[in-house]
Amino acid sequence: LAAVHALEWPDVAATDDGVRHPVPLYDRRALATEASIMVEKFLPLVAGRGVDPAIGEAFRAALAPAFEILLGAPRTWTMMDYHSPNIVWLPGRTGIARVGLLDLQDVRRGAEAYDLASLLQDARVSVEDALERELLARYLATRRAGRTAFDEAGFLAAYAAASAQRNSRLLGLFVRLSLQDGKHQYLKHIPRISDYLERAFRHPAVREAKLWYDRHAPASLRGDLAGGRKAVA
């Protein structure tokens, strides 16, 4: 990812046979729509009742500063699902080319920090806090050593913002997969995602989101879905 982010990527992808594909912008509407599934699906379930529309509005307002950070951050091709199931090792190659990627159909122009948050806070595999910090430090060191200027403080704010937005989306998405599609196995990931959110909340850039969660969906409430008991019932 550090190598990818050191390059400039065009707004239009072109193939050798002349196909041109405008890469869509990961804009404010997309960020808000994705995150809002948290109050649409997850919150009613753990609260055991319908959600007052004012709470949903407060949620979007609390996440708005995170959205502004992401929209103002340096852009790259954001692959969206940069996590363990989509990364393959290609031993027949050399160097960085040994890392192969799958599932690129949702590529958008978004903040550099998004894919790193996706990787280091893998929804399906627990990344311990110490390992996340170690790998994040490795990424930062690689970027600092690069040829182009790198705003480390800005990147860390965007990383926290991406975590808050992404993990909010996943809370709602995994509940929806359980309730609507009968895929209850996704609920086992809820405690992990909740923990990732708490890590994001350490950064002051997402203070408003933390305050909303502390009031309406604290970690103790989110823990009610551990093991999928509540949704399956």
Side-chain angles (χ1 to χ4, degrees), residues 53-94:
I55 294 178
E57 289 299 319
F59 174 79
R60 285 180 281 275
L63 268 290
F67 300 159
E68 292 303 317
I69 291 172
L70 293 172
L71 292 170
R75 290 176 185 161
T76 186
W77 281 11
T78 302
M79 289 165 273
M80 304 304 297
D81 286 322
Y82 196 101
H83 51 198
S84 54
N86 293 334
I87 302 174
V88 294
W89 185 248
L90 302 172
R93 299 183 180 182
T94 59

Side-chain angles (χ1 to χ4, degrees), residues 43 52 88 109 142 153 186 230:
L43 190 57
D52 188 321
V88 294
R109 290 180 288 124
T142 303
Y186 280 93
K230 195 164 186 177

Side-chain angles (χ1 to χ4, degrees), residues 7-226:
L7 302 174
E8 291 188 12
W9 294 86
D11 294 347
V12 178
T15 65
D16 293 338
D17 56 0
V19 175
R20 293 175 60 82
H21 170 68
V23 180
L25 178 65
Y26 199 6
D27 59 16
R28 183 180 289 99
R29 180 178 180 180
L31 290 166
T33 298
E34 289 180 351
S36 292
I37 194 175
M38 188 274 177
V39 292
E40 294 166 2
K41 298 297 181 181
F42 182 89
L43 190 57
L45 186 64
V46 295
R49 61 180 185 276
V51 176
D52 188 321
I55 294 178
E57 289 299 319
F59 174 79
R60 285 180 281 275
L63 268 290
F67 300 159
E68 292 303 317
I69 291 172
L70 293 172
L71 292 170
R75 290 176 185 161
T76 186
W77 281 11
T78 302
M79 289 165 273
M80 304 304 297
D81 286 322
Y82 196 101
H83 51 198
S84 54
N86 293 334
I87 302 174
V88 294
W89 185 248
L90 302 172
R93 299 183 180 182
T94 59
I96 198 70
R98 288 178 295 179
V99 180
L101 304 178
L102 306 174
D103 195 5
L104 304 180
Q105 70 268 20
D106 291 326
V107 168
R108 285 179 269 185
R109 290 180 288 124
E112 294 173 333
Y114 187 92
D115 281 342
L116 191 67
S118 177
L119 176 66
L120 301 190
Q121 295 189 342
D122 194 313
R124 295 168 177 80
V125 179
S126 294
V127 180
E128 297 301 325
D129 197 357
L131 180 58
E132 180 186 3
R133 291 171 182 265
E134 177 186 345
L135 296 177
L136 178 57
R138 182 183 300 182
Y139 174 93
L140 296 174
T142 303
R143 293 299 305 276
R144 287 195 300 267
R147 298 180 179 179
T148 58
F150 176 62
D151 178 6
E152 182 171 322
F155 182 89
L156 290 174
Y159 182 86
S163 172
Q165 190 273 348
R166 175 177 171 78
N167 288 305
S168 293
R169 176 176 72 89
L170 290 175
L171 287 178
L173 175 62
F174 286 178
V175 166
R176 185 181 72 183
L177 288 171
S178 173
L179 294 178
Q180 294 182 196
D181 300 334
K183 297 179 179 179
H184 306 310
Q185 68 272 21
Y186 280 93
L187 295 179
K188 68 182 180 182
H189 304 307
I190 295 294
R192 178 184 304 114
I193 295 167
S194 178
D195 180 60
Y196 290 153
L197 265 177
E198 292 302 310
R199 297 184 199 179
F201 292 156
R202 298 170 184 162
H203 199 287
V206 291
R207 180 177 181 274
E208 295 302 316
K210 178 184 186 304
L211 293 175
W212 185 93
Y213 268 95
D214 286 347
R215 180 176 181 182
H216 299 289
S220 58
L221 183 64
R222 300 195 302 268
D224 285 347
L225 281 183

